[in-house]
Amino acid sequence: MTDSTTSADDSVFDTIDPALKVVTAEITIAAPAAEVFELIADPSRQPDWDGNDNLGEAAPGQRITGTGATFITTLTKGVDRENHVVDFEEGRRIAWKPAEVGQPMLGHVWRWELEPAGQGSVLVRHTYDWTELRDPKRLPRAQSTTSESLRASLERLKALAEA
């Protein structure tokens, strides 16, 4: 039986090593954690540091303040995504699952974790987790998201925060 989030050929996901479905990168940024977190938690700032060049824009006034919140981003292709915040601790942790607007979440998570790293610095860990993804047409994009692409976002975030 199929529904809108799965199809008969979604079994390909079962053949992929689960360890390959979680990609992480981290960087130390010489800036206060609160300033770095603000760049992440304000969707209108996300296109400034998106290393995948996937985010076109996000309207101001959508600052994330807790789990259960949603925010809309527009991709460079002009498609809107409704992002559902699934984990949040102010200044420390934030994660969201994208969805097509008004549709179920797609099954992947973008996660950010911040840890103090000494005098005015913060260790930022960025994780892309697609263990729950079941849409075969999204598989190539999921597989192409590597630690190097996450690192590109971290490098841009670092440049903004340290400027």
Side-chain angles (χ1 to χ4, degrees):
M1 178 130 165
T2 63
D3 63 28
S4 63
T5 60
T6 63
S7 67
D9 58 356
D10 74 352
S11 64
V12 66
F13 288 93
D14 300 329
T15 66
I16 301 169
D17 181 348
L20 299 175
K21 297 178 184 179
V22 180
V23 181
T24 301
E26 59 185 40
I27 198 168
T28 300
I29 299 176
E35 289 179 22
V36 175
F37 191 81
E38 195 61 34
L39 290 168
I40 300 166
D42 180 354
S44 69
R45 297 300 314 267
Q46 292 175 6
D48 297 338
W49 51 255
D50 172 40
N52 292 317
D53 295 320
N54 192 41
L55 294 176
E57 64 181 353
Q62 299 186 83
R63 203 307 189 159
I64 301 161
T65 58
T67 302
T70 61
F71 62 96
I72 303 289
T73 54
T74 302
L75 305 181
T76 53
K77 297 183 284 185
V79 177
D80 286 343
R81 285 288 179 261
E82 181 176 43
N83 300 282
H84 300 260
V85 179
V86 295
D87 190 12
F88 184 89
E89 181 183 343
E90 182 67 40
R92 302 277 305 197
R93 201 174 59 247
I94 188 169
W96 59 83
K97 290 184 174 183
E100 294 178 6
V101 176
Q103 298 299 311
M105 290 177 266
L106 298 169
H108 52 258
V109 179
W110 296 98
R111 180 176 308 281
W112 296 83
E113 298 166 289
L114 287 72
E115 298 175 18
Q119 201 72 13
S121 292
V122 62
L123 174 70
V124 181
R125 185 174 305 107
H126 183 24
T127 303
Y128 175 64
D129 178 345
W130 52 282
T131 54
E132 296 177 13
L133 188 66
R134 299 301 289 184
D135 183 348
K137 69 181 188 247
R138 297 186 188 283
L139 180 59
R141 179 75 171 161
Q143 289 177 312
S144 72
T145 302
T146 64
S147 58
E148 290 78 20
S149 60
L150 297 182
R151 180 92 178 160
S153 291
L154 288 168
E155 292 287 351
R156 288 183 181 187
L157 183 67
K158 178 180 175 82
L160 282 171
E162 292 180 353

